[in-house]
């Protein structure tokens, strides 16, 4: 408990205790940072994989990496970016920002939160152990049956992928439930649902998508596991089964997953634009409803990934219409964001640059998405580079620009230092240029017939020029990330300390010091409006004067009780790792790991019954 | 100095974008052998019309949104001393109307889309030429059940006639895609999918498997060769003839090698062998390309292939049978004599 007390009161600690304090932390802010650092690490890993792929494709008939390595690279690039970069980067913001945005001291279940992180870590580790084992997953991030069957993928490569994803799914589900409870139960008094900040709203929708979509892939993976380990025939045409079952299950998960990746970024943009145009979000209720609509419709469009499989004209038509419908709430959102800027006093800071980049690029990705919603057109575009261009405009031009906007926006709050604005803008322009040079030509490549997932191509097909351009663009992207990393290093060393409210913000996180104290809010905030902090500072814009809150009562912050650290989350995650990785080693390890998991679960549950000196956690401000 | 560098970046970006767009307008690019925008069949044209309709609309919307965004950013950029702007929370009429406008635009796309879906998936006429297409790791088999012709990796079709392709896969999922003739259709084990199309004019149209199917997915290519009606009939007649006995001594030696080695376990040559795992080689010499359209069918390429197939097509099922030097040359000579 010594480290906990020291952390609570900011005393100096030895290196070992600092490490221990991170391992055992249950503070949502530190877990958020763990997620952020891990996500950025894997973002770089996935990025390096992408660079190698682009080098291989720069010229026709290239022999740089060869077929097998290339297939491994695109499989791991996709899997890593989706599950280990964008999702955990969003999770970093969920963890760090949601309690601050809703005026809470922590999430609803702090130890479950730590467990989510460590289980995520286990899953990522399991997936990447495949590199050490020399059997890297090579069936694509979508892992279509029956290529993944034991017959056609006899090595352990698919096992690593399948088990890794199962573990990651457990982590996402736990986090999903935790944030739903947090958002429903722990909002500050007065913060009705419609007064909730947009980032929290979009995150809220995402958590429902997570808890409804992940079970689908869990089932799909369990069936695959049975096929591979026990010889069942769920996906085997030889056994009378239809391999398309996998595609249906995968995309029932996979399409909502796209919204799991993009909605947090939409939430960030909806926070950043009002702050820097000094206006409330235009039509906030509509933006909220459209987010919910996107979530709902997201579950009804999965088969648009399958227009070429021969579902018949009726199914094609139905999924075409439902897909087109999604363009409506999405388009509405874009116009609402422009409406927010309209008539504002726009301050061009680096977070705003990235948000503008998001709108500009996501619009292009959305429009090419509309093209794919028409099956006859899609039959020419699906599985071609046109689609690669499309979803990079959505996931890179959208999610990653949006997430970087959040990084620049909340960096001063999280680390207490302002990032350098000039470097931030250089980062932005390089990334925007590099991104477009890399991915725009892929539209052309797709239209002139280049299929995706090919490691080589003939020189006489007219694809050489655009492939070379695309590969050159990647290096501009790389340069932009080097600028970002340099910015982080330089400003961490000697950046200007951030005030509590550097951007003249509108939401609750800006009312507390940067970085926030362990307990977040010394006194529980009371909310009277959307953008309450702005109203306090500037009035409501209808003539009412700024409302000065009641003078803060003196609070003895030492008396604020926060949940104590626990090493059971990391132990339980470790036990899960032992159990899952056992499937690749021996049945004894599975059973042993299972028993260990059970033991750790019981200790995890009963932890507070063993600690006589600390009561149960306070459970946040009530 | 510092400031000017920053302000030049957007200008440079704009220039680059214009340059890219201009160069992309060069018509030659769209004439690439596998282009989707210069269709050569009815199926391709139906698809292309909708593509163009949606493209022009989305291009217009895209330009309007991007221009609007730029204009708003320019018009409402922060000016020193400007007051706090009016706190506008929304405008219901505006929001409802643009929602409706979006829905109406989508209706413009939906109607021709639905009609095209049904048109392109109609059952083919009874007079259509039937071809059974087998997608395999990593080559294509084309069987003409009514003509009793079997070939591999080169699909020969007559111009102007409707063709019904029945697609099936004995191993994993593939996808049949000859972009100039129409959209792709997956080849799913356990199912028979269909593409109906009518190629317009004679020519050679490359195609490729479009669904990731394992190690050599990139090398699973094919070629559609569209003939005039008369030429097609000539081709069929040639294919229906039994293979001629080679006269060249080297080729004769190759035939002996072929019939005495493991080749016969996988490959069919009418009158010699009956394997079905690999491509039917009965008229191999009449094919322009080899290795699933990987390279031109020359004696040198073929000999290299026989010596080390896995080197040319990673993961290929055909093993290295240890044929070297004279042996591989003889085999190549024999196979190329099978016109």
């Amino acid at each position: 408990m010594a480290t906990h007390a020291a952390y609570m009161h900011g005393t100096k600690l030895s290196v070992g205790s600092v490490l221990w304090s991170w391992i055992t932390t249950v503070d949502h802010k530190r877990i958020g940072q763990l997620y952020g650092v891990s996500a950025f690490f894997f973002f770089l890993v996935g990025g390096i994989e992408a660079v190698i792929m682009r080098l291989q494709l720069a010229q026709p008939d290239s022999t740089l990496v060869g077929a097998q390595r290339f297939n491994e690279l695109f499989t791991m690039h996709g899997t890593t970016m989706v599950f280990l970069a964008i999702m955990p980067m969003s999770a970093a913001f969920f963890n760090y920002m949601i309690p601050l945005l809703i005026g809470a001291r922590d999430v609803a279940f702090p130890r479950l939160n730590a467990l989510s992180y460590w289980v995520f870590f286990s899953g990522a580790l399991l997936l990447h152990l495949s590199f050490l084992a020399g059997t890297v997953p090579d069936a694509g991030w979508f892992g279509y049956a029956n290529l993944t069957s034991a017959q056609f993928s006899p090595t352990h490569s698919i096992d690593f992928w399948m088990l890794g994803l199962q573990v990651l799914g457990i982590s996402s589900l736990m986090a999903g439930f935790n944030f739903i409870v947090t958002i429903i139960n722990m909002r500050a008094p007065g913060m009705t649902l419609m007064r909730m900040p947009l980032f929290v709203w979009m995150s809220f929708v995402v958590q429902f998508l997570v808890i409804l979509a992940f079970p689908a892939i869990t089932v799909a993976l369990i069936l695959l596991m049975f096929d591979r380990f026990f010889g069942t025939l769920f996906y085997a045409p030889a056994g009378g089964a239809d391999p398309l079952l996998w595609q249906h299950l995968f995309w029932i998960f996979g399409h909502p997953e796209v919204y799991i990746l993009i909605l947090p970024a939409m939430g960030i943009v909806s926070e950043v634009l009002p702050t820097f145009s000094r206006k409330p979000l235009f039509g906030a209720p509509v933006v909220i409803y459209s987010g919910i609509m996107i979530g709902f419709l997201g579950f009804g469009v999965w088969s648009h990934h399958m227009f070429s499989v021969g579902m018949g004209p009726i199914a094609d038509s139905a999924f075409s219409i439902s897909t087109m419908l999604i363009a409506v709430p999405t388009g509405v959102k874009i116009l609402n964001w422009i409406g927010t800027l309209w008539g504002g006093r726009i301050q061009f800071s680096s977070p705003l640059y990235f948000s503008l980049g998001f709108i500009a690029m996501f619009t292009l990705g959305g429009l090419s998405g509309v093209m794919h919603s028409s099956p006859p057109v899609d039959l020419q575009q699906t599985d071609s580079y046109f689609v690669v261009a499309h979803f990079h405009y959505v996931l890179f031009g959208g999610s990653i620009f949006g997430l970087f906007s959040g990084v620049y926006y909340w960096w001063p709050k999280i680390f207490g230092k302002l990032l350098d604005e000039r470097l931030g803008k250089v980062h932005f322009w390089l990334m925007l240029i590099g991104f477009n040079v890399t991915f725009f030509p892929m539209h052309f490549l797709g239209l002139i017939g280049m299929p995706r997932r090919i490691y080589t191509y003939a020189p006489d097909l007219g694809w050489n020029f655009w492939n070379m351009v695309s590969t050159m663009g990647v290096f501009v992207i790389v340069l932009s990330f080097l600028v970002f990393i340099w910015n982080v290093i330089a400003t961490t060393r000697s950046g200007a300390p951030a005030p509590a409210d550097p951007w003249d913000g509108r939401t609750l996180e800006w009312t507390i010091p940067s970085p926030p104290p362990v307990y977040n809010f010394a006194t529980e905030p009371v909310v009277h409006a959307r953008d309450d902090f702005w109203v306090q500072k500037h009035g409501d814009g209808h003539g009412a004067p700024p409302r000065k809150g009641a003078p803060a009562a003196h609070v003895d912050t030492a008396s604020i009780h926060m949940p104590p650290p626990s090493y059971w989350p990391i132990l339980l995650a470790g036990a899960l790792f032992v159990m899952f990785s056992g499937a690749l080693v021996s049945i004894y390890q599975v059973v042993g790991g299972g028993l260990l998991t059970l033991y750790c679960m019981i200790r995890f549950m009963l932890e507070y019954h063993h600690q006589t000196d600390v009561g149960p956690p306070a459970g946040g401000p009530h | 100095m510092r400031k000017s560098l920053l302000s030049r970046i957007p200008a440079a970006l704009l220039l680059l974008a214009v340059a890219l767009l201009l160069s992309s307008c060069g018509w030659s690019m769209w004439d690439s052998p596998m282009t989707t925008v210069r269709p050569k069949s009815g199926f391709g044209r139906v698809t292309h019309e909708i593509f163009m309709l949606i493209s022009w609309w989305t291009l217009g919307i895209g330009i309007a949104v991007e221009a609007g965004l730029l204009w708003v950013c320019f018009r409402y950029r922060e000016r020193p001393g400007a007051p706090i702007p009016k706190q506008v929370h929304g405008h219901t009429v505006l929001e409802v109307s643009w929602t409706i406008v979006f829905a109406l635009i989508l209706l413009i796309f939906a109607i021709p889309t639905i009609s095209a879906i049904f048109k392109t998936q109609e059952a083919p006429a009874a007079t259509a030429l039937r071809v059974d297409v087998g997608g395999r790791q990593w080559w294509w088999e084309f069987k003409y059940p009514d003509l009793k012709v079997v070939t591999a990796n080169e699909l020969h079709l007559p111009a102007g006639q409707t063709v019904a392709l029945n697609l099936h896969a004995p191993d994993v999922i593939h996808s049949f895609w000859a972009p100039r003739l129409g959209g792709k259709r997956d080849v799913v084990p356990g199912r028979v999918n269909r593409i109906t199309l009518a190629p317009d004019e004679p020519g050679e149209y490359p195609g490729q498997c479009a669904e990731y199917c394992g190690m050599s997915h990139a090398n699973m290519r094919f070629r559609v060769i569209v003939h005039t009606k008369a030429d097609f009939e000539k081709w069929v007649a040639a294919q229906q003839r039994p293979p001629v006995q080679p006269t060249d001594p080297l080729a004769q030696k190759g035939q002996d090698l072929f019939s005495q080695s493991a080749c016969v376990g996988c490959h069919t040559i009418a009158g010699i062998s009956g394997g079905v795992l690999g491509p039917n080689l009965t008229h191999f010499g009449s094919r322009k390309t080899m290795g699933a359209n990987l390279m031109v069918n020359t004696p040198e390429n073929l000999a290299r292939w026989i010596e080390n197939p896995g080197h040319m097509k990673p993961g290929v099922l055909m093993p290295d049978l240890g044929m070297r030097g004279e042996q591989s040359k003889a085999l190549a000579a024999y196979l190329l004599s099978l016109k």
Side-chain angles (χ1 to χ4, degrees):
Chain A
M1 292 303 99
T3 53
H4 178 54
Y7 171 55
M8 289 283 294
H9 304 296
T11 333
K12 281 264 177 217
L13 289 165
S14 70
V15 177
S17 345
V18 168
L19 205 61
W20 184 246
S21 76
W22 279 96
I23 285 173
T24 60
T25 187
V26 296
D27 176 7
H28 72 94
K29 295 184 287 297
R30 302 185 109 199
I31 293 168
Q33 291 178 47
L34 287 173
Y35 265 116
V37 170
S38 315
F40 193 71
F41 170 76
F42 285 115
F43 183 58
L44 295 182
V45 172
I48 291 166
E49 286 157 356
V51 171
I52 301 173
M53 280 193 283
R54 277 313 326 165
L55 283 173
Q56 162 75 20
L57 290 175
Q59 295 175 56
D61 290 335
S62 161
T63 52
L64 183 70
V65 294
Q68 178 60 25
R69 186 68 66 209
F70 187 87
N71 296 343
E72 294 166 2
L73 283 170
F74 76 67
T75 300
M76 289 305 282
H77 169 73
T79 308
T80 301
M81 287 305 195
V82 168
F83 293 100
L84 306 181
I86 300 182
M87 276 184 83
M89 188 51 91
S90 302
F93 288 119
F94 300 159
N95 271 286
Y96 205 104
M97 298 318 303
I98 287 177
L100 298 185
L101 283 162
I102 62 174
R105 290 231 158 102
D106 207 322
V107 295
F109 308 112
R111 282 183 314 146
L112 188 68
N113 205 20
L115 181 62
S116 306
Y117 172 75
W118 291 113
V119 171
F120 156 76
F121 189 84
S122 303
L125 196 65
L126 184 53
L127 196 60
H128 280 84
L129 276 183
S130 62
F131 282 101
L132 285 184
T135 54
V136 186
D138 57 358
W141 89 281
F142 45 90
Y144 275 5
N146 55 341
L147 184 61
T148 50
S149 65
Q151 187 190 350
F152 296 105
S153 292
T155 67
H156 273 317
S157 60
I158 303 301
D159 299 333
F160 276 107
W161 180 80
M162 156 181 104
L163 296 166
L165 287 199
Q166 284 293 48
V167 176
L168 291 169
I170 296 172
S171 158
S172 301
L173 280 172
M174 290 190 297
F177 287 110
N178 201 347
F179 286 113
I180 288 174
V181 177
T182 303
I183 292 168
I184 291 178
N185 269 356
M186 300 189 53
R187 282 166 288 134
M191 182 176 282
T192 60
L193 283 178
M194 290 314 281
R195 285 178 188 165
M196 212 159 70
L198 256 292
F199 176 69
V200 182
W201 250 114
M202 293 305 113
S203 309
F204 193 46
V205 176
V206 166
Q207 309 312 327
F208 279 99
L209 294 183
V210 166
I211 64 168
L212 294 171
F214 267 85
I217 193 176
T218 303
V219 168
L221 288 166
I222 287 174
L223 300 184
L224 178 64
M225 198 162 86
F226 273 55
D227 270 10
R228 289 184 62 84
F229 290 158
F230 311 124
T232 55
L233 300 168
F234 286 108
Y235 303 118
D242 192 338
L244 295 184
L245 171 63
W246 168 271
Q247 293 190 25
H248 283 291
L249 288 172
F250 182 82
W251 289 117
I252 287 173
F253 149 80
H255 199 81
E257 172 71 20
V258 176
Y259 299 112
I260 292 172
L261 300 175
I262 193 72
L263 281 168
M266 289 179 162
I268 290 171
V269 170
S270 306
E271 297 296 329
V272 169
L273 292 177
T275 297
F276 294 102
S277 52
R278 306 188 182 287
K279 275 181 68 208
L281 185 69
F282 187 81
V286 174
V287 178
I288 293 170
Y289 293 139
S290 65
I292 298 170
M293 275 306 280
I294 290 174
F296 266 111
L297 292 174
F299 280 97
V301 301
W302 77 88
S303 284
H304 71 207
H305 298 265
M306 301 164 61
F307 282 146
S308 63
V309 304
M311 292 180 299
I314 308 269
D316 282 357
S317 304
F319 282 101
S320 169
I321 299 291
S322 64
T323 304
M324 287 183 184
L325 279 178
I326 282 205
V328 176
T330 313
V332 164
K333 269 193 156 64
I334 288 171
L335 292 189
N336 273 297
W337 287 323
I338 295 177
T340 306
L341 294 163
W342 195 287
R345 204 181 93 193
I346 307 171
Q347 192 185 11
F348 285 93
S349 61
S350 35
L352 185 85
Y353 271 52
F354 281 94
S355 278
L356 293 174
F358 170 97
I359 300 176
M361 296 301 110
F362 180 75
T363 301
L364 299 184
L367 289 172
S368 57
V370 172
M371 296 181 178
H372 304 144
S373 68
S374 175
V377 179
D378 183 65
L379 289 182
Q380 285 288 27
Q381 294 171 350
T382 185
D383 280 325
S384 81
Y385 261 78
F386 197 91
V387 167
V388 180
H390 158 69
F391 68 74
H392 279 94
Y393 268 81
V394 173
L395 293 180
F396 192 147
S399 298
I400 290 177
F401 271 83
L403 289 167
F404 266 115
S405 183
V407 168
Y408 280 93
Y409 184 54
W410 281 313
W411 189 275
K413 178 54 60 188
I414 296 171
F415 295 102
K417 289 277 182 86
L418 283 157
L419 283 175
D420 186 82
E421 275 291 297
R422 227 171 54 83
L423 286 175
K425 287 170 187 171
V426 172
H427 170 199
F428 168 77
W429 285 114
L430 286 175
M431 190 162 122
L432 189 74
I433 294 168
F435 166 75
N436 280 291
V437 174
T438 305
F439 294 105
F440 205 83
M442 292 185 183
H443 291 108
F444 302 145
L445 283 172
L447 291 178
I448 56 176
M450 180 159 160
R452 50 196 291 214
R453 302 166 190 140
I454 55 169
Y455 77 96
T456 186
Y457 52 91
D460 56 356
L461 295 171
W463 303 340
N464 308 3
F465 174 70
W466 290 118
N467 271 304
M468 183 50 94
V469 170
S470 176
T471 300
M472 293 194 303
V474 165
F475 290 95
V476 185
I477 301 181
V478 170
L479 191 64
S480 78
F481 292 133
L482 293 179
V483 172
F484 171 71
I485 292 170
W486 170 244
N487 194 352
V488 168
I489 295 170
T491 52
T492 303
R493 279 211 203 122
S494 57
D501 182 19
W503 313 117
D504 196 8
R506 312 175 73 90
T507 37
L508 288 176
E509 78 274 31
W510 306 112
T511 63
I512 55 173
S514 304
V518 181
Y519 44 80
N520 295 353
F521 297 88
T523 50
E524 190 177 43
V526 180
V527 175
H528 300 275
R530 180 196 302 286
D531 295 341
D532 196 51
F533 186 41
W534 170 270
V535 176
Q536 279 182 39
K537 289 186 290 188
H538 302 284
D540 66 356
H542 297 291
R547 171 174 57 76
K548 293 282 171 251
H554 177 73
V555 182
D556 175 16
T557 53
S559 72
I560 296 173
H561 179 83
M562 294 304 291
S566 166
Y567 44 76
W568 287 109
I570 191 173
L571 288 182
L572 178 46
L576 267 176
F577 178 83
V578 172
M579 178 170 79
F580 273 88
S581 60
L584 302 168
V585 183
S586 91
I587 185 73
Y588 300 107
Q589 188 181 330
V590 177
V591 174
L595 291 174
L596 199 61
T597 304
L598 198 63
Y599 172 74
C600 290
M601 278 168 78
I602 293 168
R603 293 298 303 265
F604 183 92
M605 285 188 286
L606 298 179
E607 186 170 18
Y608 291 115
H609 294 264
H610 292 282
Q611 289 178 350
T612 47
D613 56 330
V614 186
H622 281 292
Chain B
M1 180 63 208
R2 283 176 173 182
K3 199 165 182 209
S4 69
L5 177 71
L6 257 185
S7 57
R8 265 180 216 155
I9 294 176
L13 175 72
L14 204 69
L15 257 174
L16 193 76
V18 170
L20 282 178
L21 270 178
L22 282 180
S23 57
S24 72
C25 289
W27 286 114
S28 59
M29 175 179 91
W30 303 119
D31 278 330
S32 296
M34 286 176 73
T35 184
T36 64
V37 292
R38 296 285 164 83
K40 294 284 184 189
S41 81
F43 181 0
R45 268 193 305 279
V46 168
T47 292
H48 186 62
E49 270 164 31
I50 304 176
F51 170 68
M52 290 313 286
L53 170 82
I54 301 182
S55 291
W56 287 118
W57 273 92
T58 50
L59 194 69
I61 296 169
I63 290 172
V65 170
E66 305 291 349
L69 184 65
L70 281 176
W71 184 80
V72 166
C73 287
F74 176 78
R75 169 69 182 75
Y76 297 105
R77 67 190 188 279
E78 188 179 40
R79 294 181 173 89
I84 288 176
K86 203 166 152 233
Q87 301 291 296
V88 182
H89 289 273
H91 191 290
T92 311
V93 176
L94 203 59
E95 290 161 47
V96 170
S97 34
W98 67 46
T99 309
I100 294 172
V101 168
F102 278 133
L104 288 178
I105 293 174
L106 289 170
L107 208 59
I108 298 175
F109 304 158
I111 293 168
T113 288
I114 305 294
S115 116
I117 290 173
F118 282 88
K119 210 191 291 180
T120 54
Q121 297 190 29
E122 265 173 10
T127 54
L129 172 67
R130 285 195 300 147
V131 185
D132 288 336
V133 178
R136 291 155 176 251
Q137 282 180 324
W138 291 277
W139 60 282
W140 297 91
E141 180 165 65
F142 301 111
K143 283 186 186 168
Y144 300 72
D146 303 324
L147 307 175
K148 307 279 179 251
V149 168
V150 181
T151 180
N153 299 321
E154 289 183 353
L155 174 60
H156 292 255
L157 299 176
Q161 185 179 350
T162 304
V163 189
L165 305 176
N166 294 310
L167 314 170
H168 57 91
D171 44 39
V172 299
I173 302 176
H174 304 278
S175 189
F176 180 89
W177 189 33
R180 295 203 91 169
L181 300 180
K184 48 189 86 64
R185 183 63 74 194
D186 290 0
V187 190
V188 185
R191 287 181 171 232
V192 178
N193 276 341
R194 192 180 61 222
I195 292 185
T196 307
L197 49 84
D200 292 338
E201 51 184 89
E204 292 191 16
Y205 307 105
Q208 170 140 20
C209 175
E211 182 59 86
Y212 177 65
C213 53
M215 174 118 68
S216 257
H217 164 58
N219 300 321
M220 191 171 162
R221 307 171 192 173
F222 63 95
R223 185 170 288 241
V224 184
I225 298 165
V226 179
H227 302 269
T228 59
K229 271 233 155 78
D231 280 351
F232 180 72
E233 272 156 27
K234 259 188 252 167
W235 177 81
V236 171
Q239 296 288 308
Q240 284 170 335
R241 278 195 292 273
V244 282
Q245 199 60 32
T247 47
D248 174 54
L250 188 66
Q252 272 172 348
K253 192 184 161 210
Q255 186 179 28
D256 295 342
L257 265 171
F258 183 89
S259 45
Q260 287 155 19
S261 70
C263 307
V264 293
C266 298
H267 294 284
T268 290
I269 292 179
I272 304 267
S273 61
V276 293
L277 274 180
N280 183 311
L281 301 177
T282 305
H283 292 280
F284 182 79
S286 70
R287 291 180 201 155
K288 296 181 176 179
T289 63
M290 52 159 293
N293 204 14
L294 265 189
M295 60 216 102
V296 184
N297 202 1
T298 63
E300 298 74 34
N301 281 341
L302 188 54
R304 267 168 62 213
W305 170 272
I306 292 164
E307 290 185 3
N308 194 348
H311 184 72
M312 298 177 109
K313 188 189 279 188
V316 67
L317 274 182
M318 177 168 158
D320 176 358
L321 293 172
M323 306 280 184
R324 292 292 180 270
E326 197 63 16
Q327 290 176 312
S328 54
K329 278 202 188 102
L331 266 175
Y334 167 57
L335 291 173
L336 287 171
S337 76
L338 301 170
K339 296 282 182 190

